[in-house]
Structure formats: structure tokens, C-alpha cells
Amino acid sequence: MTLRVLSIASEAVPLIKTGGLADVAGALPDAVAPHGVAMTTMLPGYPAVLKALGRTKPLHQWESLLGEPARLLQGKLGTHPLLVLDCPALFQREGGPYADMAGRDWSDNWRRFAAFGRAAADVAGGAVKGLTFDLAHAHDWQAAMALAYIRFAPAGTPVPTVMTIHNMAFQGYYGSDIFALLELPSWAWTYDGVEYHGGVGFLKAGLESASAITTVSPTYAREIRQPAFGMGLEGLIDSRGDRVTGIVNGIDPAVWNPETDKHLLQRYSWRSIARRSANKRALEREFHLDQSDGPLFVCISRLTWQKGIDVLLEVIDHMVGLGGRLALLGAGDPAMEAGLHAAAARHPGKVALRIGYDEALSHRLQGGGDVILVPSRFEPCGLTQLYGLAYGCVPLVAHTGGLADTVVDANLAAIQAGAATGIQFAGVTYPSFADAITRTINLYHQRDTWTQMQRTGMKTDFSWKRSGQAYAALYRQLAGAE
Ligand code: ADP
Ligand code: GLC
């Protein structure tokens, strides 16, 4: 029996992306399809999404969706069905999905994503003629309210639901005054409903309402039971522990494959790694970096505390002192951007950056860099280290979350067994990060060992095969369709 699943997300590749969530939501329909799951994705109607849809006939209309008129449009996400909530008052505006051009969160985000959740719950519950679903799967706080609306719907048997946490740091927490405007029944205002510390917690409500909870790596699934990672929700996660599993993200080989990557000057496979050097030279030219026989470190990241960029700033002098160079692509915290500019000015020809978001450049950096840096303080899964592994750009990562689960540290035993794929360090502090940089540069100069690490990483299977199967098995179990 084919299971019909509604995947509810606030971004999905190739239509709209601010981070890894989009990669995952975009890849999921293909990942579960071979396992008998027909997935429909539902997205908010941001301008970029509507533009890609073109003209379509509305499937459904809301006269008042939390006070605003809205329509449900249909389109395609790749080859899979897509539903788009067209609600101009909430989603048709210049700027990002969550913040304005100046980077300030939209002040009505609670209303935007409550309305999105409300609409998704209606769709999952069968409000739209001809559309029925066996299960609803919500991603992160922006989609979480869908599960509360499903649970607190006045009529019918609610469909089973899955809540996936891509990042516990973003929870969608608002004041109690919004509760009356959510159009939920009064009994939703309880400690195991939407109420959270006297306000409304969107992610919290989703976690309380979900039939099952997943996050994007087994290690992060364990970590979020502790205060440092649970960020206030550790008690809830712990109490629902039997419902929490970690399913690691895969990568989409149609987008991330060095043998077919249209962004690369030279395409290559693990058999022809030597061809990467042309890509490296091209990067050096592009970033105005000196040529040298030392490693080229690269970093592709949101510039935030989570990503450890403040500690990266501290180790740059050490890295350059040992013959390393750095090319960074990222955007975010203005103080971190300023720190990076200062480092580039201090080390001309050795450190260079591009501030901004550039998909094609992110591919070129993976295809020509020697080492991808991911010094995150926490990392639910992390995708850039997976892309690095697939591209022979050896990951240097902090030992946390999905980074710990996907990179095999080059300790002596792992090197001898031919299993090492990268370098891990524990604790995002100057001494441990600097020590890991020293270790990496030493390994880089042991050419046979380094090439072996690149090859092992490139040959590892990070496809969605296993994880697609795991999601499908979970859906089946919840839908009673085993
Ligand atoms: P997160 O979602 O927490 O930012 P992930 O590692 O899961 O972290 O995913 C980040 C995604 O965003 C990757 O696909 C990465 O290549 C991409 N990315 C991050 N910053 C940039 C940037 N400045 N330009 C292009 N792509 C970027
Ligand atoms: C979040 C996490 C990241 C994860 C991504 C996709 O943005 O920060 O670690 O890879 O979601 O699941």
C-alpha cells in the first residue's frame, strides 16, 4: 500500500533556501519514494516560490485564515507534488523567509507560521476535496503548529504526525497575548499543549502534539536530552524519550556529485583525485590567494555562534603561521564579518572571503579546497562536511551532533585500517581547535595518508538510501500500515 505523506516545511530546494533544512525537505520526496511513500510537500507562498509556480488554478480558498484571505495552489517540487499557501498579506514581501532586508525578524512571524500550520492541518485533515493523507510530517518550528492544529481539531480522528527537529536553537516562542488570536480551543492552553513558560512555544507545541519525534542524527538525539543542547526543551525530550529517534541526513547525488557537478572547472572521481588541483588553482586565482604547497582551508557557513566562527577567528593566525590559507564564504553576524575582514587585511594572499550567499561558489570551494572547516558548537546533522566527504575536501570538525556521526577521526588505528575520513576535535576552544589545525596540516603533508583519507570519504555512501528507508519505516509504523 502506498502511504500518502504531507511534508510541511518553510523552505525546500530548489525553490527557497536559507540552510540545510531546504536541502533535506527538497530531497525527502525522492528518498522515501522507493519505499512506497508518495510525499507531497507544502510550502509558504514566498515571491520566489510563486514565481516558480507560474499560473495555476487554486485548489482551495480560505476566506479567513487567521484573518487573511488565502488560497492553496499546486505545482511540482522536482517530479513530486507541491502545495503552496498563497497568502499575500503574510508571505508576499521583499526580503527573506523569516527576516526583512536588514536581517530583522518579521514582527508577525508568529502569525505567518501559525497560519501556515493552520492551513497545513486543514489539508492533512481532508479539507481539500480530492486530497487525503495518511500522515503529516512537520519540519522545525515554522511548521510545528500544524501538529497542534491537527491534534486540537474539533472533529474527526487526527492523522498520525512526525515532528523533525533540524535545530533546537530556533523554537518560535511568543507572548501569551497571541494565544487568543490562534483560533485554538481554550484547552490547548496547557503545559502539555501550546503553553510554554507562560507564553506560546511553537516547536514545543509540535513536540507535545507529535506521534513521533525525530532529529537529524543519533548523537544530536542524545544531546538534546541535556540542557546545553535541549535549550529548555530537554525535559520534554527526555520525557518523550521513547518517541525520539535520530535519522541522519543524506545528500542529493543529483546536486552534489563531483563527477557531474556543472559548477566545477574539472570534474573528477575518487580515481582521478589529482584533477582537483586545477580547481584549487582556480580558487586561488578567484580569491587572490598566493600559491603554496600548504593546504587550502575552506569554510561555507552561516556566520554565527553555533558555527564556532568566533573561535575560527582566533585560530587564523596559527593556521597561517603553519602554512595554511583560508577561503571563506558566508554571511551573518556583523561582528564576525568584521573580524574576518580584519584577518584578511592582516594576511593578504593567505586569507580571503566572500560575504554573501553563493550556491555555485559553494560547489567550487568543495571541489578545490583541501579541508572544509566545521567548528560548530552544536550541529544537529551538518551538510557541508558531507559534501566535503563526497568531494575529497577533508572535513575538520568539532565532535558534536551529526559531525561526530559522519566523520571518522584520523587517529592511528583508523588511519591504519584505512577508515579515517577527517579530523575531529573535542570542545570548541582555541587550544583544541589550534591543535586540530596542526594535526591536519601534518597529515596533509603525509601525501599517501591524505589521499587515502580523501578516497575513503569519497567512497562512503551518504546517499539517502538508508535514511529514506528509516523515515518510510517510521511512517508505516505510525500509520499502522506494517
Ligand atoms: P545549517 O542548516 O545549520 O546552516 P547545514 O550544514 O545543514 O547547516 O547546511 C548549510 C547549507 O547551506 C549547505 O547546503 C551549505 O552549502 C549552504 N550554505 C551555507 N552558507 C552558504 C553561503 N554563504 N553560500 C552558499 N551556500 C551556503
Ligand atoms: C539545521 C541544522 C543542520 C542540519 C540542517 C538540516 O539547519 O543546523 O545541522 O544539517 O538543519 O537537517
Side-chain angles (χ1 to χ4, degrees), residues 3 103 111 124 134 140 162 170 231 236 254 259 266 270 272 301 309-310 336 374 377 396 398 424 442 455 464 470 479:
L3 270 191
R111 197 153 162 264
D134 301 305
D140 275 353
V162 176
F170 303 106
M231 310 207 164
L236 194 169
E259 292 183 51
Q266 276 291 329
W270 64 268
S272 55
S301 186
I309 303 300
D310 49 326
M336 290 179 188
V374 197
R377 288 191 166 86
L396 192 182
Q424 291 197 359
N442 287 340
R455 292 211 163 115
W464 272 100

Side-chain angles (χ1 to χ4, degrees), residues 26-46:
L28 212 48
D30 266 342
V32 294
H35 309 288
V37 176
M39 181 170 275
T40 297
T41 305
M42 182 158 167
L43 286 173
Y46 312 115

Side-chain angles (χ1 to χ4, degrees), residues 114-396:
F116 180 54
R118 176 64 206 261
D122 287 355
V123 172
V128 180
K129 227 171 116 204
L131 282 184
T132 49
F133 293 96
D134 301 305
L135 186 138
H137 183 174
H139 301 270
D140 275 353
W141 74 267
Q142 297 93 337
M145 285 303 280
L147 306 196
Y149 282 111
I150 290 173
R151 171 179 165 199
F152 294 109
T157 316
V159 291
T161 56
V162 176
M163 180 77 234
T164 294
I165 305 162
H166 293 267
N167 197 335
M168 202 60 139
F170 303 106
Q171 299 187 356
Y173 179 66
Y174 302 101
S176 58
D177 48 324
I178 73 158
F179 180 71
L181 306 169
L182 293 176
E183 298 176 7
L184 278 163
S186 56
W187 63 86
W189 181 261
T190 57
Y191 75 97
D192 63 351
V194 306
E195 187 272 333
Y196 185 47
H197 293 308
V200 176
F202 279 30
L203 180 61
K204 188 263 183 187
L207 294 172
E208 291 284 9
S209 304
S211 319
I213 298 169
T214 72
T215 186
V216 286
S217 69
T219 295
Y220 195 60
R222 284 193 301 277
E223 286 172 339
I224 53 175
R225 292 174 180 223
Q226 305 157 25
F229 296 92
M231 310 207 164
L233 290 170
E234 58 277 3
L236 194 169
I237 295 294
D238 203 38
S239 71
R240 303 209 67 199
D242 56 333
R243 305 254 164 177
V244 184
T245 49
I247 303 176
V248 82
N249 295 328
I251 68 178
D252 186 344
V255 185
W256 291 97
N257 179 351
E259 292 183 51
T260 54
D261 193 324
K262 61 179 189 293
H263 301 296
L264 300 185
L265 185 65
Q266 276 291 329
R267 302 190 186 107
Y268 57 93
S269 72
W270 64 268
R271 288 191 184 81
S272 55
I273 285 182
R275 286 204 207 148
R276 298 182 88 257
S277 54
N279 297 334
K280 180 172 171 181
R281 294 284 98 87
L283 274 180
E284 288 165 348
R285 283 194 298 275
E286 181 171 358
F287 278 83
H288 303 293
L289 289 168
D290 300 341
Q291 283 197 11
S292 87
D293 61 0
L296 174 61
F297 290 84
V298 301
C299 180
I300 305 156
S301 186
R302 293 189 283 117
L303 305 178
T304 63
W305 185 86
Q306 171 191 346
K307 301 291 180 181
I309 303 300
D310 49 326
V311 187
L312 172 61
L313 281 171
E314 292 174 18
V315 301
I316 287 178
D317 293 357
H318 176 75
M319 174 195 291
V320 172
L322 294 179
R325 289 156 303 147
L326 172 67
L328 177 142
L329 167 64
D333 185 311
M336 290 179 188
E337 288 182 8
L340 286 163
H341 280 299
R346 226 170 33 246
H347 299 294
K350 305 282 188 276
V351 175
L353 50 137
R354 292 283 178 280
I355 298 297
Y357 192 91
D358 186 336
E359 191 75 28
L361 180 55
S362 75
H363 286 245
R364 295 201 294 279
L365 285 164
Q366 298 278 16
D370 295 306
V371 182
I372 174 97
L373 295 167
V374 197
S376 307
R377 288 191 166 86
F378 63 94
E379 195 62 77
C381 178
L383 293 172
T384 56
Q385 87 282 7
L386 297 182
Y387 301 145
L389 288 164
Y391 278 62
C393 186
V394 172
L396 192 182

